[in-house]
């Protein structure tokens, strides 16, 4: 089943010729990532909120109307006016108004002064667009680093499998030679058993690495839609000094910049809250068509217009303004702590990563020496074994040591690249956008 899985993966693209750069694979992966696509939607929504906030400065045009029925009409009674025995006014008694009342209107309202609330909400929306754009950039950086790490993880495992496979092939040839000699009783049977045991152990290791390589290839395909065999790696990841990395983090990291926009938002929020408790002035105008209209004595449709200015002045609200500003200031203090923690955690992370880089660089020098020494030792021990100056077990041991040294050397080389990618992720660097 495991062999079938490997063949399916290889047939799906791992054996195809390398036609894509790793940078293009990263770009394709960014188009697949839900975090990136959702980030784009968040940016679009922030831009919509900005357009909405700007529209609050423009006049609103509303239309409406109502119908009302009342069971009784107003009765108007005026007594007669009599002076010096003469009737100057005979008096009046009549019903006014209508049973059915109608009013249709088209009205315009325009804010004039809102205590700065509308301006602050507009500025907040503009800052929100900037913040969502930075969050999108941070999501792209994280996803790009994950894709690159998946590629180099696969390459490291594949290289380790190749080294183990070479050892298995050497052991297979050695076993065949020993079995032929054992048939002629020229070597001990124990040598054959020792070699077969080492071969089985090595083949088990190859099988485990086969599975690990297949899983790494599947993960890379999941992230970007390509198989590692289609990719040309190109140049190694860019290297930074400790000082360069810290400078770039402080000046260019999208997550840190997004955090700074939150401070600006909270400052604007506090000003907007204060503006709610200041005077506000607005203008309004409307055209009405009603029955009855202004003249309650008439029962006909009548049109008329109204125009005016409204004024509102908050007087007493049980200290709600101060409490709301206190909530905003509390959020700002929490953001201060979050900012300090981010700076501290990234500083410690960079210390650990650059310490690891220094260790890996020193380790590479020593492992290269070790690989050369074990290769030379293997050649010498092979000659000594053929001359029967050492045992078969000693010869098998040096073969395994050579394989382990070569495997450790390749692992260190790829771990160096993976650590550099971790530095990129920590400081918000993305090679595809440079």
């Amino acid at each position: 089943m495991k062999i079938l899985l490997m063949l399916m993966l290889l047939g799906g693209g791992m054996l195809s010729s390398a036609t894509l750069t790793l940078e293009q694979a990263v770009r394709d992966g960014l188009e697949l990532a839900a975090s990136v696509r959702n980030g784009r939607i968040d940016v679009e929504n922030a831009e919509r909120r900005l357009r909405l906030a700007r529209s609050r400065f423009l006049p609103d045009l509303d239309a409406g109307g109502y119908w009302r029925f009342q069971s009784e009409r107003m009765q108007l009674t005026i007594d007669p006016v009599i002076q010096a025995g003469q009737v100057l006014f005979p008096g009046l008694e009549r019903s006014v108004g209508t049973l059915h009342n109608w009013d249709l209107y088209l009205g315009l309202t325009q804010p004039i002064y809102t205590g700065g609330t509308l301006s602050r909400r507009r500025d907040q929306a503009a800052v929100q667009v900037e913040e969502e754009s930075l969050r999108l950039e941070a999501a792209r950086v994280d996803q790009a680093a994950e894709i690159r790490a998946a590629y180099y993880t696969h390459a490291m495992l594949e290289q380790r499998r190749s080294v183990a496979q070479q050892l298995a092939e050497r052991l297979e040839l050695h076993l065949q030679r020993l079995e032929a000699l054992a048939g002629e009783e020229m070597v001990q049977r124990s040598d054959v058993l020792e070699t077969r045991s080492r071969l089985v152990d090595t083949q088990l290791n190859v099988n485990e690495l086969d599975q690990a390589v297949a899983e790494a290839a599947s993960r890379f395909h999941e992230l970007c839609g390509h198989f590692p065999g289609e990719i040309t790696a190109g140049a190694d990841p860019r290297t930074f000094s400790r000082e360069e990395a810290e400078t770039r983090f402080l000046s260019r990291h999208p997550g840190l910049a997004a955090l700074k926009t939150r401070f600006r938002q909270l400052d604007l929020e506090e000003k907007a809250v204060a503006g709610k408790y200041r005077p506000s002035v607005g203008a309004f105008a409307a055209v009405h068509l009603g029955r009855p209209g202004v003249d309650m004595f008439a029962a006909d449709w009548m049109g008329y217009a109204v125009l005016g200015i409204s004024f509102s002045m908050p007087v007493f609200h049980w200290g709600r303004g101060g409490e709301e500003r206190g909530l905003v200031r509390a959020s700002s203090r929490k953001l201060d702590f979050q900012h300090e923690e981010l700076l501290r955690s990234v500083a410690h992370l960079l210390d650990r990563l650059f310490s690891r880089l220094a260790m890996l660089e020193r380790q590479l020098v020593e492992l290269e020496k070790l690989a050369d020494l074990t290769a030379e030792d293997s050649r010498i021990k092979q000659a000594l074994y053929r001359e029967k100056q050492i045992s078969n077990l000693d010869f098998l041991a040096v073969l395994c040591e050579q394989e382990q040294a070569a495997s450790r050397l390749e692992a260190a080389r790829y771990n160096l690249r993976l650590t550099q990618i971790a530095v990129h992720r920590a400081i918000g660097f993305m090679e595809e956008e440079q």
Side-chain angles (χ1 to χ4, degrees):
M1 185 65 184
K2 189 180 293 182
I3 296 175
L4 178 61
L5 175 63
M6 288 294 300
L7 291 175
M8 291 174 62
L9 286 172
L10 291 174
M14 291 175 63
L15 291 180
S16 61
S17 59
T19 57
L20 289 174
T21 63
L22 182 55
E23 288 74 15
Q24 183 59 51
V26 170
R27 293 189 182 97
D28 292 343
L30 293 178
E31 296 301 318
L32 293 176
S35 59
V36 174
R37 289 186 288 179
N38 288 340
R40 289 173 182 156
I41 294 175
D42 290 338
V43 172
E44 292 172 359
N45 286 341
E47 291 172 346
R48 290 189 181 96
R49 285 190 287 270
L50 176 57
R51 291 193 291 270
L52 286 172
R54 287 170 175 169
S55 71
R56 305 298 183 193
F57 290 88
L58 303 176
D60 290 333
L61 184 64
D62 298 306
Y66 73 86
W67 164 79
R68 187 186 68 181
F69 171 79
Q70 56 189 31
S71 60
E72 299 292 338
R73 297 168 65 189
M74 181 186 298
Q75 298 297 319
L76 180 64
T77 301
I78 301 177
D79 294 332
V81 178
I82 301 175
Q83 187 176 3
Q86 295 182 353
V87 179
L88 300 179
F89 179 71
L92 176 67
E93 184 175 348
R94 61 178 295 184
S95 298
V96 298
T98 62
L99 297 178
H100 296 273
N101 295 268
W102 301 83
D103 184 61
L104 305 175
Y105 73 90
L106 182 66
L108 189 72
T109 57
Q110 171 65 55
I112 297 175
Y113 176 72
T114 62
T117 301
L118 291 183
S119 299
R120 301 297 180 263
R121 296 305 184 197
R122 177 200 58 201
D123 295 342
Q124 277 187 303
V127 174
Q128 184 68 30
V129 172
E130 183 180 350
E131 181 180 357
E132 294 299 341
S133 299
L134 290 167
R135 286 180 178 175
L136 172 59
E137 185 181 348
R140 288 171 59 84
V141 168
D142 287 343
Q143 191 68 17
E146 188 170 355
I147 295 171
R148 283 183 168 271
Y151 175 81
Y152 285 115
T153 299
H154 172 270
M156 178 178 65
L157 292 170
E158 193 170 41
Q159 187 62 35
R160 288 179 58 191
R161 180 183 64 178
S162 176
V163 172
Q165 186 64 47
Q166 290 173 11
L167 175 61
E169 292 171 357
R170 293 186 67 181
L171 290 173
E172 180 71 33
L173 291 174
H174 184 59
L175 177 61
Q176 292 174 6
R177 179 175 175 275
L178 289 179
E179 288 177 339
L181 293 174
E184 300 177 4
E185 298 184 354
M186 297 177 65
V187 296
Q188 297 180 2
R189 189 64 185 170
S190 61
D191 291 349
V192 176
L193 295 176
E194 291 167 357
T195 305
R196 183 174 291 127
S197 176
R198 289 296 179 94
L199 177 59
V200 170
D201 184 65
T202 303
Q203 287 174 336
L204 287 173
N205 186 35
V206 171
N207 291 337
E208 291 173 356
L209 288 171
D210 283 342
Q211 180 66 28
V213 168
E215 291 177 357
S218 177
R219 175 58 178 164
F220 183 75
H221 184 267
E222 177 187 358
L223 289 172
C224 67
H226 300 289
F227 287 98
E230 304 173 35
I231 307 303
T232 302
D236 287 340
R238 177 179 168 181
T239 60
F240 289 89
S241 68
R242 177 66 175 80
E243 294 73 18
E244 290 173 339
E246 184 172 3
T247 300
R248 186 175 182 87
F249 166 72
L250 294 174
S251 61
R252 299 280 298 277
H253 192 283
L256 182 61
L259 196 61
K260 292 177 180 178
T261 63
R262 290 291 301 147
F263 284 105
R264 292 161 54 195
Q265 282 217 26
L266 289 174
D267 180 63
L268 291 168
E269 178 66 22
E270 184 174 357
K271 293 177 180 178
V273 168
K276 289 169 54 178
Y277 298 93
R278 292 173 183 160
S280 61
V281 180
F284 63 89
V287 176
H288 289 259
L289 178 63
R291 182 184 178 214
V294 177
D295 187 358
M296 291 295 297
F297 292 92
D300 299 327
W301 288 92
M302 180 180 294
Y304 60 97
V306 296
L307 178 69
I309 293 178
S310 62
F311 173 80
S312 174
M313 175 65 186
V315 178
F316 180 70
H317 292 86
W318 300 99
R320 285 197 293 268
E323 296 297 337
E324 289 184 30
R325 289 193 296 273
L327 290 173
V328 176
R329 293 186 186 120
S331 297
S332 182
R333 289 197 302 272
K334 291 173 62 177
L335 201 62
D336 279 328
F337 300 148
Q338 186 178 348
H339 181 257
E340 292 173 3
E341 183 179 8
L342 177 61
L343 293 178
R344 185 172 59 254
S345 63
V346 172
H348 286 295
L349 175 59
L350 289 177
D351 287 339
R352 294 193 298 270
L353 290 174
F354 277 94
S355 176
R356 179 174 176 78
L357 283 173
M359 180 273 295
L360 287 170
E361 289 170 354
R362 293 192 302 269
Q363 193 179 62
L364 272 176
V365 175
E366 299 302 324
L367 286 173
E368 287 172 355
K369 295 178 182 178
L370 181 61
D372 293 338
L373 291 172
T374 54
E376 180 64 23
D377 192 28
S378 176
R379 288 191 293 270
I380 294 173
K381 293 292 177 62
Q382 185 174 12
L384 292 174
Y385 174 73
R386 289 175 180 174
E387 296 173 1
K388 297 185 179 181
Q389 296 185 36
I390 61 172
S391 67
N392 181 64
L393 198 58
D394 291 336
F395 176 60
L396 294 177
V398 76
L399 285 180
C400 293
E401 289 173 2
Q402 182 183 7
E403 182 269 340
Q404 291 174 359
S407 182
R408 288 177 64 190
L409 177 60
E410 292 302 326
R413 286 172 177 166
Y414 282 105
N415 279 327
L416 188 64
R417 296 186 179 98
L418 289 170
T419 306
Q420 288 166 348
I421 292 172
V423 171
H424 291 183
R425 192 171 192 169
I427 65 176
F429 175 75
M430 182 175 171
E431 294 199 40
E432 287 71 24
E433 295 187 350
Q434 302 308 310

